[in-house]
Each structure stands twice: as structure tokens, then as C-alpha cells.
Amino acid sequence: MLTLYYGYLKNRAIMLITINSIGCAIESIYLIIFMIYAPGRARIYTAKLLAFFNLGLFGMIVLCTSLLIKQSYLRLRVVGWTCAIFSVCVFAAPLSIMRLVIKTKSVEFMPFSLSFFLTICATMWFSYGLLIDDFFVATPNILGFTFGIAQMILYIIYKDKKNVVLPELKVEDAPNGTITSIQLSTTETTGKLSTTEHNAMNQTQESKIVKGIGDAPTEAIELNV
């Protein structure tokens, strides 16, 4: 959205406006799908971030640059620097994934295609910025190209590793009805085991061995629950 605003202020920036309009549309679809299927706590957190950045911060930047800066050239430079700073933050975001890859020695959460196209995208935007002599477009993509190459190198190093990081499921994030189903299954199993124990107690000493074997699943189920 900031780059759209920058393209609006800049003359003959049809490519900036067109590409970033398509990008905003695709990202909006991603966010809608995430908000539909995300757990309740994650959905609320994401809504707060959207309200803060897309409405509050972006609105403040537009208002301040429109009302307080009267010269168009100076306004363009301020918005350009702001776009460059946020672009650097976007390109630095994969650092957390790279750290996870190094720590777990697994590329499960860093697909090669994403790193490859990130590198290609940064290269093309850097070339475009140089051709139109736009410092604010070209410079941040140097960092994007560097991180893209680093991610592909990490992928080549750890692609044959089999370590898999399983996501942790918290009780509050579990789908509705999951805990109830577990409790019902546990109750039914416990009831069956209680009946087996009652029958075993009325049998001879030989049947006590069967009872001892039947007690083992009870302990295992209690530990799992």
C-alpha cells in the first residue's frame, strides 16, 4: 500500500501502481483465507495488526505527508524513504525462518521455490530501479537478493536432512469438539477396563495374570490423558 502511494506521487509510475495493485489483491485473498481458518486467538491478533499497520500507521503517513509537507518533491522523498525502510523490514523477515532451518537442520518451512522467486523478484526490481534511476526502488532489493541467495544456499545444505519440526497444539487452539471427543473415548475405554477387572476378580488365581496384563493399557491411557 505504501508503494502504491509512492507510485501515485511519482510521475510515470504505471508499473509500480499496476504490480503493487495486483500484489495487494493477492495478499488480501491470503489474509481472508487465513482469517477464516485461523484459531480464535491468532485471528484476533492478526486483526489487531491489520488495524494498526494498514489503517492506523498507513493513514497517519498519508495524512502527515499530505498536510504537513507542501512541496511535492520533498513529499516524494519522505514517502520514498518510508517505503525503503519497510521494504528492508520485509526482506529481513525471513531471517527467523533461516534461524529455524539452522537450528532444526530441516527445510520443511522454507520451500526452495519461495526462495528462488524471491531472488528473481529482487533482481528484477533492482534492475528496474536502476533503469528508471529510482534509488528507493533499487536499494532495498539488494538486501532481498542477498537473503534470497542465502536461503537457497541453506536449502542446498539441509535439503537431505530428515528432521521434522511438528507444530505444537495448545488446548485453547484445538478445534471445537476435539477435547470432548477425547474425553468420551477415554470414558468408554475406562468403562470397558473396569468391567474386565471386575470379571477378573471373580476368576481363579490363573485369571489374575490376565488382569495384570489388562492393567497395563489402563496406566498407559491415564498417562496419555
Side-chain angles (χ1 to χ4, degrees):
M1 293 177 67
L2 272 174
T3 311
L4 275 177
Y5 180 48
Y6 175 74
Y8 172 77
L9 296 176
K10 186 178 177 66
N11 295 329
R12 294 178 297 176
I14 303 299
M15 290 298 296
L16 285 175
I17 296 175
T18 303
I19 299 300
N20 286 279
S21 297
I22 296 174
C24 285
I26 295 174
E27 292 294 335
S28 299
I29 295 173
Y30 289 162
L31 287 172
I32 291 173
I33 295 174
F34 179 83
M35 295 294 285
I36 291 174
Y37 294 104
R41 184 170 295 183
R43 190 182 305 158
I44 294 174
Y45 179 73
T46 304
K48 291 180 180 179
L49 289 180
L50 288 174
F52 176 76
F53 286 104
N54 289 27
L55 297 179
L57 188 59
F58 177 71
M60 184 181 66
I61 292 173
V62 172
L63 287 176
C64 289
T65 54
S66 299
L67 300 178
L68 301 180
I69 304 176
K70 302 300 183 181
Q71 295 147 350
S72 59
Y73 175 75
L74 181 59
R75 184 187 303 124
L76 182 65
R77 290 186 63 84
V78 171
V79 176
W81 274 109
T82 306
C83 290
I85 292 172
F86 276 95
S87 296
V88 169
C89 294
V90 170
F91 287 128
L95 285 175
S96 59
I97 300 298
M98 295 170 65
R99 178 177 176 272
L100 181 64
V101 170
I102 296 173
K103 182 178 180 181
T104 62
K105 297 179 173 58
S106 172
V107 293
E108 181 183 2
F109 300 111
M110 193 182 69
F112 181 82
S113 59
L114 182 62
S115 302
F116 175 76
F117 284 107
L118 171 65
T119 307
I120 296 297
C121 180
T123 304
M124 297 304 295
W125 277 111
F126 173 75
S127 302
Y128 176 75
L130 288 181
L131 290 175
I132 64 173
D133 196 21
D134 194 324
F135 170 83
F136 303 114
V137 174
T139 305
N141 287 282
I142 298 175
L143 191 62
F145 173 80
T146 304
F147 284 145
I149 294 294
Q151 289 181 39
M152 288 192 291
I153 293 174
L154 282 178
Y155 186 91
I156 294 173
I157 293 174
Y158 295 113
K159 66 177 181 177
D160 295 327
K161 304 295 183 180
K162 300 300 181 183
N163 293 349
V164 178
V165 182
L166 296 177
E168 296 181 358
L169 178 62
K170 298 181 181 179
V171 175
E172 58 269 18
D173 294 336
N176 294 333
T178 303
I179 304 301
T180 305
S181 300
I182 296 173
Q183 292 175 348
L184 289 175
S185 300
T186 306
T187 305
E188 293 175 0
T189 306
T190 305
K192 293 178 181 179
L193 291 173
S194 299
T195 303
T196 304
E197 291 178 356
H198 179 71
N199 294 334
M201 291 177 62
N202 296 329
Q203 294 177 355
T204 61
Q205 185 176 2
E206 183 180 357
S207 65
K208 291 182 180 180
I209 300 176
V210 178
K211 177 178 178 297
I213 297 174
D215 287 340
T218 307
E219 296 175 359
I221 292 173
E222 290 178 353
L223 288 175
N224 291 332
V225 176

